[in-house]
Amino acid sequence: MSTTVNSGDAPVQQADSTDVNAVMGLREWGLILILSVIWGGSFFFVGVAVREMTPLTIVLCRVAFASMILLAVVGLTGKRMPVSAGVWGAFFVLGALNNLIPFSLIVWGQTHISSSLASILNATTPIFSVLLAHLMTREERLTTNRMTGVLVGWVGVAVLIGIESLGGFGIQVLGQLAVVGASVSYACAAIYGRRFKAMDPVVVSAGMLCGSTVMMLPMALIVEQPWHLAPGAATWAALLGLSAVSTSLAYIIYFRVLAVAGATNILLVTFLIPASAIFLGVMVLGERPGWNAFGGMALIFMGLIAIDGRLIKAFRRRNGR
């Protein structure tokens, strides 16, 4: 089985057939836990930054600072950035699908919904990935488990958004749909990003973030005129954490785990990100998720378990099926 994985802020990568059998040691499990906290923290950092800064400016700072950090990593490790116009054009497309569109939607969505809810909705990315992969590729076909997982995951999204949304689309519902739209964009990026599987992943991440920065710069300057903003120390600290920790460092850890444990095991991060985001949201930002947040999260996780398939296969083997 081959699986395309993209979770939350994760960069895209194509799994090989050997990924399913990869075994994780204590170090890899530790890195998975650290990565879930880092990506869960991205929703916390955004929750702090949106109090004093505008959405596009937050995204611009995130990708610009992260691109500078990763370019420094590329240089210090002796790697080289490509010079082909075609490759850079592909970087721009990937940057739009994996950074510009989803980052902007998530940040805008978090101006109207909590970081906890945003993190749970963002966990639907693998659900959209398997559905779009079935429609747009020949290699990734829907199985019974995956189709069940997609349907259960959608029910979870419906529970999260709430039945009250049937009475009209308020601004909070639009914020929730914006985060769901970000998950769809991540899923599209996962499919498009397959063309980079032969290229050094750190170089791909640096090129993608450079392309995102170039595209975000005029948008933020023209639409939001950020020179009128006056962010405080807490906001700048959140932006630094968002770019240096939740983007640059997260990419480096991601590729370390990917090389050892495979892309299928990276999917485990998807189960853990909302937990860390909810903890930070409740303890630091004072958020109070409702029953539908936990009910929807449980359904989404059930869907992800069905899509992943490993627990189901282990259960069948144990019962001799």
Side-chain angles (χ1 to χ4, degrees):
M1 181 181 70
S2 175
T3 303
T4 303
V5 177
N6 180 279
S7 178
D9 296 325
V12 295
Q13 188 74 6
Q14 171 68 11
D16 297 322
S17 59
T18 57
D19 287 338
V20 176
N21 298 319
V23 177
M24 294 197 299
L26 290 177
R27 177 181 296 179
E28 285 69 42
W29 277 110
L31 290 175
I32 285 279
L33 291 173
I34 293 172
L35 194 56
S36 71
V37 173
I38 289 174
W39 275 332
S42 69
F43 295 94
F44 164 73
F45 290 137
V46 170
V48 173
V50 295
R51 295 176 175 180
E52 294 185 332
M53 294 192 72
T54 46
L56 296 181
T57 302
I58 293 173
V59 176
L60 172 62
C61 291
R62 177 178 188 174
V63 296
F65 295 160
S67 65
M68 289 186 285
I69 293 171
L70 281 178
L71 283 175
V73 172
V74 169
L76 291 173
T77 55
K79 306 180 191 300
R80 291 185 179 182
M81 297 299 295
V83 295
S84 168
V87 173
W88 276 99
F91 282 163
F92 272 69
V93 175
L94 185 61
L97 292 174
N98 210 38
N99 295 153
L100 187 150
I101 295 173
F103 286 1
S104 299
L105 288 174
I106 288 171
V107 173
W108 183 84
Q110 280 194 245
T111 62
H112 304 292
I113 65 174
S114 68
S115 63
S116 303
L117 182 54
S119 68
I120 298 171
L121 288 169
N122 192 58
T124 60
T125 297
I127 296 173
F128 291 108
S129 293
V130 298
L131 182 60
L132 290 175
H134 174 79
L135 296 174
M136 301 173 66
T137 72
R138 296 181 180 178
E139 299 84 6
E140 303 267 354
R141 312 309 297 173
L142 275 178
T143 62
T144 301
N145 285 349
R146 290 184 176 187
M147 191 65 217
T148 301
V150 168
L151 294 175
V152 173
W154 279 352
V155 173
V157 173
V159 171
L160 276 173
I161 294 178
I163 194 171
E164 65 273 7
S165 63
L166 297 176
F169 283 94
I171 193 65
Q172 186 176 17
V173 175
L174 291 177
Q176 294 169 349
L177 292 177
V179 179
V180 173
S183 297
V184 176
S185 185
Y186 280 134
C188 292
I191 296 172
Y192 183 82
R194 295 178 176 189
R195 67 191 60 207
F196 298 104
K197 62 182 180 180
M199 189 177 297
D200 186 282
V202 178
V203 171
V204 174
S205 297
M208 174 185 67
L209 286 164
C210 287
S212 302
T213 301
V214 172
M215 290 184 287
M216 283 302 308
L217 184 60
M219 292 175 58
L221 294 180
I222 295 172
V223 175
E224 295 181 345
Q225 300 178 353
W227 52 86
H228 295 302
L229 299 174
T235 299
W236 282 114
L239 289 174
L240 180 61
L242 188 61
S243 56
V245 179
S246 295
T247 306
S248 300
L249 179 59
Y251 279 179
I252 294 172
I253 295 176
Y254 173 89
F255 289 123
R256 168 67 179 84
V257 178
L258 183 69
V260 176
T264 300
N265 285 319
I266 282 290
L267 181 61
L268 295 170
V269 178
T270 308
F271 295 85
L272 301 173
I273 289 174
S276 59
I278 290 173
F279 176 80
L280 290 171
V282 170
M283 298 302 295
V284 183
L285 299 179
E287 298 174 350
R288 294 293 181 266
W291 70 266
N292 62 316
F294 294 103
M297 181 171 63
L299 288 169
I300 290 172
F301 284 5
M302 289 172 61
L304 292 177
I305 290 172
I307 290 171
D308 183 48
R310 282 176 290 181
L311 286 178
I312 296 174
K313 289 181 179 178
F315 177 80
R316 289 175 176 172
R317 285 197 299 268
R318 186 172 182 178
N319 290 272
R321 298 181 184 178

